[in-house]
Amino acid sequence: MTQIKKICCIGAGYVGGPTMAVIAQKNPQIQVTVVDINEERIAAWNNADLSKLPIYEPGLDTVVAEARGRNLFFDTNVDKAIDEADMIFISVNTPTKTYGKGKGMAADLKYIELCARQIARVAKTDKIVVEKSTLPVRTAQAIKRILDQTGNGVSYQILSNPEFLAEGTAIQDLMNPDRVLIGGEESDTGREAIEALASVYGAWVPQERILRTNVWSSELSKLTANAFLAQRVSSINAISELCEASGADVNEVAKAIGMDSRIGSKFLKASVGFGGSCFQKDIFNLVYIAKTYGLDEVADYWEQVIIMNDFQKRRFAERIVTTLFNTVNDKKIAFLGWAFKKDTNDTRESAAIYVANDLMEEEAQIHVFDPKVTEQQMLTDLDYLNTRSSEANRKHLTVHQDPYTALENAHGIAVLTEWDEFKTYDWQRIYNKMQKPAFVFDGRNILDRKQLEQIGFEVYSIGAANIK
Ligand code: NAD
Ligand code: UDX
């Protein structure tokens, strides 16, 4: 069996960084080099101060501390790392296209193609190329053609090995994955490549959790997994509106259906809407693929998950406006949280961005506290929407380092991220310093509603019988 001695990973992001750190920690005999064209990101990965790593993930600092400089390296010299490696992971971003055919739907594969062409140009020995990025089904075929037709005559095996980690629990997910999926060519060399990668994971993952499939099944399973997970969130969010209208309570409904072992209890938490870099992008990608095969009903079915999610975010913002006597003009609305979920500094597609944008359209003054997201990031997120000038965004957004100053004098508080610390704040103190009536809009249903109501707050929770 091929023994892997050197791994290169192209892309030092939320997936490449943590995944390679764990692979290196568990395989001290393998040299793992993570490369990126973003010099600032690589410098941050190499920062001696582990609190300054470019991404925040609980437990990541410990893993990096153990492996970095021993057999884990972060570098900007992509050619050198490709040249030396037996196995190359492609872990670059695959965002939704913002131009041309498939704009707003299809995955933009330009970074993937650039990687394939770079590998083809540099490689002088046989390589196993692993798709770690989430890709449309049959991308491996395109990568293979580029490698074979523009390369130096060396031979390539392409594997699909999608990543299922969730942010905020990445290290835990990598250490103890439900499964590792490896798709490969159905040939002797294909199977040999699959086993080479399986042995890397075999250092800590039990064999029965390493699933071998053909390449297309593996590619499509990743999009399907994210579509199913997002669908559950949109399904419970759809029910949350029905609960509000009918007097049912969405937490009780979720518990009741979740105890059915066929349904299961996970991913049934009603919220202000799902965010993150994956769900929306991957569903759009699935919808686009279905459309290109002429499968319109399939496409429409999955698109509804996004439509419901957009509605949930909009509905939350509208609820704030109607509750605050139909105007938020110049009112201070305090946001607790900006990240798309707790325990991450990632804000991509976070519901907070869209809720803030809607409220700014109504001329509200948004004051935000998030324990991990920088002011610069929040402003970049708003500017990216292109709804108004960046000066106007700066006029309407104030970022605080202290939650209590963010909340002081607010007309309303909106919880956008489920950070644990929000539950432990001194809510009596907050109430005393707020405008009255003091409204709380709990977009994550994390606060103790009874306790807040006893203090005097008027509370709106997702999917509950609420103030009208
Ligand atoms: P990211 O944007 O955090 O990181 C990607 C990195 O690739 C960037 O640092 C970028 O500079 C680098 N890059 C792009 N082109 C390059 C090139 N030609 N050479 C060298 N470096 C290059 O993205 P991410 O969140 O890590 O996601 C990567 C892939 O993994 C995507 O396909 C995504 O869908 C998938 N995925 C993400 C998650 C997640 O939770 N973020 C989970 C599972 C799968
Ligand atoms: C997701 C997938 O879970 C992961 O397997 C894949 O590799 C990448 O995409 P991630 O986006 O990091 O991971 O986080 P996830 O925990 O799935 O949450 C996504 C969004 O859904 C968040 O905004 C979260 O707050 C929201 N969510 C999740 C809910 O609103 N309710 C839930 O019950 C679960």
Side-chain angles (χ1 to χ4, degrees), residues 144-276:
K144 178 99 173 107
R145 282 186 63 194
I146 292 170
L147 290 172
D148 286 346
Q149 290 179 22
T150 67
N152 302 318
V154 300
S155 84
Y156 293 99
Q157 274 300 318
I158 319 293
L159 299 177
S160 161
N161 172 224
E163 184 49 61
F164 295 99
L165 67 79
E167 290 179 25
T169 53
I171 298 301
Q172 211 174 299
D173 296 341
L174 287 163
M175 293 286 187
N176 191 20
D178 287 348
R179 78 317 207 174
V180 166
L181 179 57
I182 305 176
E185 192 183 283
E186 289 162 306
S187 65
D188 286 346
T189 43
R191 277 184 284 274
E192 204 175 304
I194 291 176
E195 291 318 312
L197 180 55
S199 80
V200 173
Y201 285 107
W204 80 99
V205 180
Q207 278 304 316
E208 63 277 12
R209 290 207 208 153
I210 303 178
L211 198 61
R212 288 109 166 138
T213 66
N214 79 32
V215 187
W216 321 132
S217 306
S218 173
E219 289 177 331
L220 189 56
S221 296
K222 175 63 198 176
L223 293 181
T224 308
N226 273 351
F228 268 62
L229 290 167
Q231 181 206 43
R232 282 175 71 94
V233 180
S234 276
S235 296
I236 201 69
N237 281 344
I239 297 299
S240 75
E241 193 181 23
L242 191 51
C243 287
E244 288 168 34
S246 63
D249 182 311
V250 76
N251 294 326
E252 292 180 353
V253 174
K255 185 164 185 195
I257 65 165
M259 285 173 77
D260 185 328
S261 59
R262 293 168 302 174
I263 296 175
S265 61
K266 292 183 180 160
F267 264 73
L268 288 180
K269 190 111 189 58
S271 67
V272 54
F274 61 73

